[in-house]
Amino acid sequence: MNKLSRLLLAAGTLLVLSAGTAMASEVTPVKANNVVLVHGSWADGSSWSEVISRLQAAGLNVTAVQNPLTSVADDVAATQRVLNQQDGPTVLVGHSYAGTVVSEAGVDPKVSALVYVAARAPDANEDFVALSAQYPTMPVRAGVQEHDGFLTLKQDAFLKYFASDVAHDKALTLFAVQQPIAKTLFAGRTTVAAWHDKPSWYAVSSEDQTINPDLQRFLAKRMGATTIELPSSHLSLVSHAQEVADLILQAAGRKL
């Protein structure tokens, strides 16, 4: 990226920063009894286990979606099936790639708030791959391997870059249950961006080596999200489960 492009990007980020701060200060959460959690790439629903127990202890009805990770449309459909079973206001939460899913599925009228955890947050029909390319490539990419049209992470990359601050035994368990993703998954685009109309919260992982932290900050500010920063790897939902749970409780209109 040349010098002019960098200056334009910086200027745009500052504009979004100003707008985002103003919007975040006006958020009044709707009280919700339900939370739907959507996992990201190279993971399954069990990645939310530390957060689930905390939300359940707070009296919330919690469901973790099991995404097929075959296409954006397939993952949105899986999420919508779970949303259809909710009986009232629902906080929809996405980690990593699942931010794409909740940005699309979040238009459901039951969804009262969106929470993004170190997540993508594309605008409608946005080329997110091109947006990401404006930021430095993260180390985890070197560990991606392909088999039969699906991608997985090698163990060393998973432990060192994806789950660097997760206890070793726990990280090995998460590596064992990682779900392969379709090679074309990240190229999928959304048709809407629910964060334009739904109050949003965002947990930035400042030590993330999977999604660039500066990209996360840009996305959070662009959507006007109420934002926290955690000194975490990409898997803050595991290593900082209490803080992530507290953010979700805030989005659900619960006192901490």
Side-chain angles (χ1 to χ4, degrees):
M1 185 163 55
N2 61 34
K3 184 177 180 180
L4 177 60
S5 297
R6 291 181 184 279
L7 288 172
L8 290 172
L9 178 61
T13 301
L14 286 173
L15 287 173
V16 174
L17 247 164
S18 300
T21 302
M23 291 175 65
S25 66
E26 299 171 2
V27 172
T28 302
V30 172
K31 187 171 182 180
N33 294 322
N34 308 304
V35 176
V36 171
L37 305 167
V38 191
H39 68 82
S41 53
W42 303 308
D44 70 359
S46 68
S47 62
W48 288 107
S49 59
E50 300 294 331
V51 172
I52 290 171
S53 60
R54 288 167 168 81
L55 296 179
Q56 289 176 332
L60 292 175
N61 172 49
V62 186
T63 309
V65 177
Q66 295 289 0
N67 284 331
L69 299 176
T70 46
S71 71
V72 171
D74 290 345
D75 295 334
V76 169
T79 301
Q80 190 61 61
R81 285 192 292 272
V82 173
L83 288 173
N84 290 343
Q85 299 174 48
Q86 307 309 305
D87 60 358
T90 301
V91 177
L92 183 59
V93 188
H95 172 243
S96 189
Y97 151 78
T100 300
V101 179
V102 305
S103 292
E104 179 87 12
V107 297
D108 187 293
K110 291 181 181 178
V111 175
S112 57
L114 303 170
V115 180
Y116 294 80
V117 181
R120 295 176 169 224
D123 207 341
N125 200 39
E126 182 171 47
D127 184 344
F128 198 83
V129 173
L131 176 62
S132 299
Q134 298 179 39
Y135 296 82
T137 300
M138 302 309 288
V140 77
R141 301 301 298 177
V144 176
Q145 56 188 352
E146 179 184 351
H147 297 287
D148 302 319
F150 284 80
L151 306 178
T152 57
L153 284 181
K154 297 177 183 178
Q155 180 173 303
D156 58 345
F158 192 100
L159 299 179
K160 187 175 181 180
Y161 301 126
F162 196 68
S164 59
D165 63 346
V166 175
H168 184 71
D169 289 349
K170 178 67 173 179
L172 282 175
T173 298
L174 292 168
F175 169 75
V177 300
Q178 74 162 302
Q179 190 167 331
I181 70 171
K183 181 180 179 180
T184 57
L185 185 67
F186 292 157
R189 300 192 188 189
T190 60
T191 62
V192 294
W195 47 264
H196 280 296
D197 302 307
K198 301 290 177 79
S200 301
W201 282 256
Y202 200 112
V204 173
S205 289
S206 64
E207 306 302 318
D208 203 319
Q209 298 184 79
T210 298
I211 295 180
N212 190 288
D214 284 336
L215 174 57
Q216 294 179 41
R217 295 179 184 110
F218 168 79
L219 297 171
K221 294 300 181 181
R222 180 173 71 170
M223 71 172 71
T226 299
T227 305
I228 62 171
E229 286 217 14
L230 302 172
S232 175
S233 73
H234 194 55
L235 293 185
S236 59
L237 68 172
V238 181
S239 61
H240 290 76
Q242 186 62 60
E243 294 96 324
V244 171
D246 286 346
L247 190 67
I248 295 169
L249 288 168
Q250 183 181 350
R254 302 302 182 102
K255 293 182 179 180
L256 302 181

